[in-house]
Amino acid sequence: MLVELLSAVHLLNRAAITVVWFAAALALGYFGLPFFRQVVPKLRHFWSDAGRAERIIAVLLGGLFLTDLVIALVAPPNNFDSQTYHLPKIEHWAAQGGVEFYPTVIDRQLAMAPGAEYILLNLRLLTGGDAFYNLVQLAAGVGGVIIASRIAAQLGGGRRAQLVAALIFATTPIVLLEATSTQTDLVVAFWVGTVATLVLDERGRRTPWPAMLLLGAAAGLTLLTKATGLVAAGPLLVWWFFGQLRARHLARAFAGTAIVVGLMAVIAGPYLWRVQTTYANPLGPDHLRDSITMQRHDPASVLINALRIAETTLQPPQPGDRPVAAAPIRALAHALGVDPDAREITYWGATYPYESWPPDEDRVSLPVQGALILIGAAVLVRRRSPARLYAALFWVAMLAYAVTVKWQPWGNRLIVFLILLGTPLAALWIEPLLRYRRRLVVRSMSAVLAIGALAGVAAVSVGWPRRLVGPGSVFTTSHMDERFIRRPEWGRDYQWAAAAVNASGAKRVGLIQGYNTWEYPWWILLKGDDLVSLQSLQPDLPAPKIDTVDAVVCVDPPIGCHFYIPQEWHPQTQGSVTYAIRPR
């Protein structure tokens, strides 16, 4: 809301943001000091009262996130998608002093929900750079651990169940790898988890007005960050509404719904309106929307989509690049008359299966944690307990995701919010087994949790693209090489072109690029220059003419670059990068 307000009055700049955050820091210090004074005594009490296993879990969690903190501070942002559209739009906003749309050929910069990037924009304006960008997802990861633990307690679990829930979520490889990145999946998971734990607070009571405001804020932030989060937040809010009706709080139910919807409109409305007026659809252009959402919803297609998502999520380490479980799924798909690679149910250009088990932030599977979550959800949905309805809603969210979102190779990161919601169910199922009289059962479950924890340790240690040890370590790789760790050959070409443009004294530089090339490095390498796109996919936002810029940088095959750049500019090419200086 701060970003939108300052943008509307043309005050979205470093001075205004600094003043607001200084005031916020004073308020936080005044109102939050009593809370923080209670933290240390409570931690001491927990430690003195905890058993050996509980202390081990606490130390492991602290060690993992402290390690992630070091990586987040040392490594520059180097996520692939962030280089293309997450981070460039922040630079455009900072340069133009507002979040209004601008000409670009990468329309994901405009149409993709900007909630996480709004937070990053605050950091960008406060610090002038991206040194603390990775801390946003890290904070969301730590918050997710707290939320998983709190939900476990709300559903009837004791302290051990809370610690197990925290352990399962915190050691999930995709969580630890994303916690040092500038992706947005942990941020939306945090907001969805916030909706869940706030809804659980309202069971059996008349919802007070402040709680309605919190619910509306959490739902609005979910929508603003990533709309897929609504497949889980939506059913939870419906549960809350009917819970109020069931308790005969009719006025509160309808008034609260109006407040929730109103806050969602206030928080996400301005962004959705810009998308609607630009693309005639609040979900963005047709090609972008259709590349992600399911176009077939018959039972056979949904079943195959769900099975492919499950296989990619649960894929264990195995030799070769053809996962064993994929062959039966493809065979079943053909038997049901469904093409497992059809564009209607598969991300455009992708082919099923995909090797997802290596520890990469965009794709890593979670066989241990995923299996524990599914088993816990299956057991508790049949058991008479406070968690029964919650488990049912978890399955509803899982089905809604399979119905609406296509399988894609990097889909494991898109379901982080489902992992967070399912983790307490796994913990509630495991807790009684850890108190079982038979040692074999206790040791078996402890071994499973230990294997899952080792997977998390491995992800932090050698995960890609920000690894702690080995080739490409964040401690042995230069800052610039780390930015291009996924495409080292691009790094040489980008730096070569940027050096020539900087030496020419150009102040206004035109960008020519492909739909999936990296724009963000130009904002780092051409610091201080005015960068504008010479292409535009927005009919109402034409791109500036090439004769309005001093130089051009192009990332495309040379034939594509030469199509845009006049020959009298004498374009120079190295690898996939071309630059040209405007003749004097």
Side-chain angles (χ1 to χ4, degrees):
M1 292 171 68
L2 172 66
V3 167
E4 291 285 0
L5 177 62
L6 292 179
S7 177
V9 296
H10 308 292
L11 285 176
L12 188 59
N13 54 51
R14 187 173 189 177
I17 287 288
T18 301
V19 169
V20 173
W21 275 98
F22 181 74
L26 291 178
L28 178 64
Y30 179 78
F31 292 106
L33 192 57
F35 167 78
F36 288 112
R37 283 176 176 170
Q38 300 175 18
V39 172
V40 174
K42 287 185 176 182
L43 289 175
R44 287 176 178 170
H45 175 72
F46 162 78
W47 189 258
S48 63
D49 196 41
R52 184 175 63 178
E54 294 171 332
R55 290 185 177 185
I56 290 173
I57 292 176
V59 170
L60 176 61
L61 295 181
L64 286 173
F65 279 106
L66 282 175
T67 304
D68 259 0
L69 174 61
V70 172
I71 295 174
L73 290 172
V74 171
N78 62 0
N79 172 265
F80 193 104
D81 285 350
S82 296
Q83 309 276 28
T84 301
Y85 63 93
H86 287 307
L87 303 186
K89 59 184 175 184
I90 296 173
E91 297 301 322
H92 283 284
W93 295 337
Q96 66 189 18
V99 295
E100 61 271 11
F101 286 176
Y102 48 85
T104 178
V105 74
I106 306 174
D107 54 15
R108 287 174 293 174
Q109 293 181 11
L110 309 182
M112 289 293 199
E117 290 86 347
Y118 279 4
I119 304 173
L120 294 176
L121 175 61
N122 280 262
L123 289 174
R124 167 65 176 82
L125 294 175
L126 285 169
T127 67
D130 59 14
F132 299 118
Y133 276 8
N134 294 333
L135 297 185
V136 172
Q137 282 260 107
L138 179 63
V142 174
V145 170
I146 296 170
I147 288 172
S149 175
R150 188 172 194 264
I151 291 176
Q154 289 173 304
L155 296 177
R159 188 170 70 180
R160 182 169 295 183
Q162 287 186 264
L163 283 169
V164 170
L167 176 68
I168 293 173
F169 185 74
T171 56
T172 300
I174 195 72
V175 171
L176 289 168
L177 288 171
E178 280 223 7
T180 60
S181 82
T182 46
Q183 280 283 17
T184 62
D185 305 292
L186 274 174
V187 178
V188 72
F190 177 78
W191 298 131
V192 172
T194 301
V195 172
T197 193
L198 290 172
V199 166
L200 288 171
D201 277 342
E202 304 312 312
R203 291 180 303 163
R205 78 168 184 177
R206 186 168 176 259
T207 300
W209 299 113
M212 294 179 187
L213 295 175
L214 289 175
L215 276 173
L221 290 164
T222 298
L223 176 59
L224 185 66
T225 305
K226 190 168 284 191
T228 50
L230 293 180
V231 302
L236 287 163
L237 291 171
V238 171
W239 181 23
W240 165 79
F241 175 78
F242 282 103
Q244 293 293 295
L245 288 183
R246 187 176 177 183
R248 299 182 179 179
H249 303 315
L250 273 70
R252 286 294 170 112
F254 287 102
T257 300
I259 289 174
V260 169
V261 173
L263 275 173
M264 291 176 70
V266 168
I267 292 172
Y271 147 72
L272 292 174
W273 176 252
R274 285 192 293 273
V275 179
Q276 169 66 36
T277 54
T278 301
Y279 301 109
N281 191 307
L283 298 179
D286 293 343
H287 70 92
L288 182 59
R289 188 173 64 254
D290 292 345
S291 69
I292 299 172
T293 58
M294 290 274 286
Q295 270 85 62
R296 287 183 57 176
H297 301 94
D298 56 283
S301 296
V302 172
L303 173 62
I304 296 303
N305 194 47
L307 290 175
R308 292 180 305 166
I309 292 171
E311 186 277 325
T312 307
T313 303
L314 301 175
Q315 190 179 109
Q318 52 192 284
D321 58 357
R322 298 291 292 182
V324 175
I329 294 175
R330 290 188 67 89
L332 177 62
H334 290 304
L336 295 174
V338 177
D339 179 1
D341 300 321
R343 284 181 54 152
E344 292 84 4
I345 64 170
T346 305
Y347 190 88
W348 293 357
T351 302
Y352 177 78
Y354 188 78
E355 189 181 41
S356 64
W357 65 266
D360 186 300
E361 69 168 357
D362 284 336
R363 63 180 182 178
V364 63
S365 60
L366 46 140
V368 175
Q369 292 84 356
L372 292 176
I373 289 171
L374 292 178
I375 294 171
V379 170
L380 291 175
V381 79
R382 302 179 61 185
R383 184 182 296 173
R384 292 188 178 277
S385 72
R388 186 175 187 178
L389 185 52
Y390 180 88
L393 288 173
F394 172 77
W395 286 112
V396 169
M398 293 271 286
L399 176 61
Y401 182 87
V403 169
T404 56
V405 181
K406 295 176 177 179
W407 176 87
Q408 45 196 291
W410 43 87
N412 288 345
R413 66 176 179 79
L414 302 182
I415 61 170
V416 174
F417 67 93
L418 294 173
I419 297 168
L420 174 56
L421 295 183
T423 294
L425 298 172
L428 292 173
W429 168 65
I430 291 171
E431 181 191 29
L433 298 179
L434 295 177
R435 293 186 278 105
Y436 206 63
R437 292 183 178 180
R438 295 186 180 181
R439 290 186 177 181
L440 179 61
V441 174
V442 175
R443 289 176 178 175
S444 298
M445 290 310 307
S446 299
V448 170
L449 292 174
I451 292 171
L454 287 174
V457 172
V460 169
S461 302
V462 298
W464 198 251
R466 293 168 301 280
R467 59 175 36 166
L468 196 63
V469 297
S473 166
V474 295
F475 297 117
T476 60
T477 308
S478 72
H479 214 62
M480 188 58 66
D481 287 345
E482 189 70 23
R483 289 185 184 275
F484 288 94
I485 197 84
R486 287 219 185 255
R487 293 289 189 273
E489 68 282 5
W490 288 4
R492 295 186 293 270
D493 300 340
Y494 271 72
Q495 292 177 74
W496 164 79
V501 171
N502 286 328
S504 73
K507 295 303 180 184
R508 182 174 168 88
V509 180
L511 303 177
I512 300 172
Q513 50 203 343
Y515 192 70
N516 207 35
T517 54
W518 290 3
E519 178 182 322
Y520 185 62
W522 295 125
W523 292 93
I524 300 298
L525 294 168
L526 301 173
K527 202 78 170 178
D529 290 349
D530 179 18
L531 305 186
V532 295
S533 175
L534 298 180
Q535 307 150 287
S536 179
L537 289 182
Q538 291 68 50
D540 58 337
L541 293 171
K545 302 295 184 181
I546 195 170
D547 57 8
T548 65
V549 300
D550 303 318
V552 175
V553 289
C554 176
V555 185
D556 218 353
I559 189 172
C561 295
H562 291 180
F563 174 81
Y564 287 97
I565 305 173
Q567 283 304 305
E568 57 268 25
W569 285 45
H570 303 295
Q572 305 293 313
T573 300
Q574 177 176 297
S576 59
V577 176
T578 299
Y579 80 88
I581 309 299
R582 183 180 181 180
R584 300 290 182 181

